[in-house]
Amino acid sequence: MKKMIYVRDEDKDLFEEAMQYGEDSLSRVIAEALRQYIAAKKAEREEILEVGTWRDRGANDVRKIAFKGRCLAQAIDLYGSTSSGDDRGTDWRLYQTEKGKFLVWWLDWSRHQDEVDVADYIILDNLPAPGTICCGTVYGDPSCAIPGELIEEAAAMLGQDIVEHLDV
């Protein structure tokens, strides 16, 4: 079966570069890219997350947000004061939305009485750098530094290189 692919003028250089690197035919390179694209689209689903404040006493202030996307990575950052260190922490999730943006969701939690749990999120155009501090959408408060592990896992899922290349 013979099919023709039309390349937009602005993509011409990309196709020419792919042909230089490709040990296989360009058809095989395009087919692999399409397989990855289809797998990513099939992995998308409606995600529903809770954001707000949970209290031991008094009324909670929680709402739900929903979007279409896929979870790229999850991490837990423990910073408690007990010997095990697991009495306080932050749960992290990083999603890619169906429109190609990135949603970072976090839940700051505590097992101590009278301390609140707070969940917030931010939407970004690009994958954030490890250590980025975000101001939440719900409360506007800054998050803890985004764990590098979360970004590395997400970048690996996307097939991206997050190495910082120095020009020294």
Side-chain angles (χ1 to χ4, degrees):
M1 169 173 44
K2 202 172 196 180
K3 299 286 181 184
M4 219 180 245
I5 295 177
Y6 294 95
V7 179
R8 297 183 308 183
D9 287 339
E10 58 263 27
D11 294 332
K12 181 181 167 197
D13 292 340
L14 178 66
F15 273 76
E16 288 177 2
E17 185 176 3
M19 287 173 32
Q20 289 175 1
Y21 287 113
E23 296 173 18
D24 284 330
S25 69
L26 188 56
S27 173
R28 196 169 296 197
V29 172
I30 292 170
E32 178 58 30
L34 288 173
R35 273 193 274 296
Q36 291 175 3
Y37 175 79
I38 290 168
K41 287 299 182 185
K42 284 182 177 179
E44 288 178 358
R45 60 188 184 104
E46 184 173 61
E47 298 286 347
I48 300 173
L49 302 173
E50 291 186 318
V51 295
T53 303
W54 291 263
R55 297 177 180 84
D56 278 346
R57 298 179 210 175
N60 292 332
D61 180 20
V62 178
R63 65 186 173 100
K64 293 181 180 181
I65 59 170
F67 60 94
K68 278 197 83 168
R70 63 182 176 140
C71 185
L72 297 175
Q74 298 182 53
I76 298 174
D77 189 14
L78 300 175
Y79 48 84
S81 57
T82 62
S83 60
S84 63
D86 64 354
D87 55 316
R88 287 186 186 97
T90 303
D91 292 347
W92 295 91
R93 291 190 206 151
L94 197 153
Y95 296 87
Q96 184 180 35
T97 70
E98 73 175 334
K99 294 183 178 177
K101 295 189 182 272
F102 296 93
L103 186 143
V104 179
W105 175 90
W106 63 92
L107 169 64
D108 291 323
W109 53 267
S110 172
R111 292 196 172 112
H112 293 272
Q113 196 170 17
D114 296 329
E115 290 186 6
V116 298
D117 296 344
V118 178
D120 211 333
Y121 72 100
I122 189 166
I123 298 170
L124 304 168
D125 290 330
N126 299 302
L127 197 60
T132 299
I133 295 176
C134 303
C135 288
T137 303
V138 177
Y139 296 108
D141 295 334
S143 69
C144 299
I146 298 175
E149 169 188 342
L150 185 78
I151 306 305
E152 289 174 11
E153 188 179 327
M157 285 286 293
L158 296 169
Q160 292 183 6
D161 175 16
I162 61 166
V163 174
E164 183 178 347
H165 297 277
L166 305 176
D167 185 20
V168 294

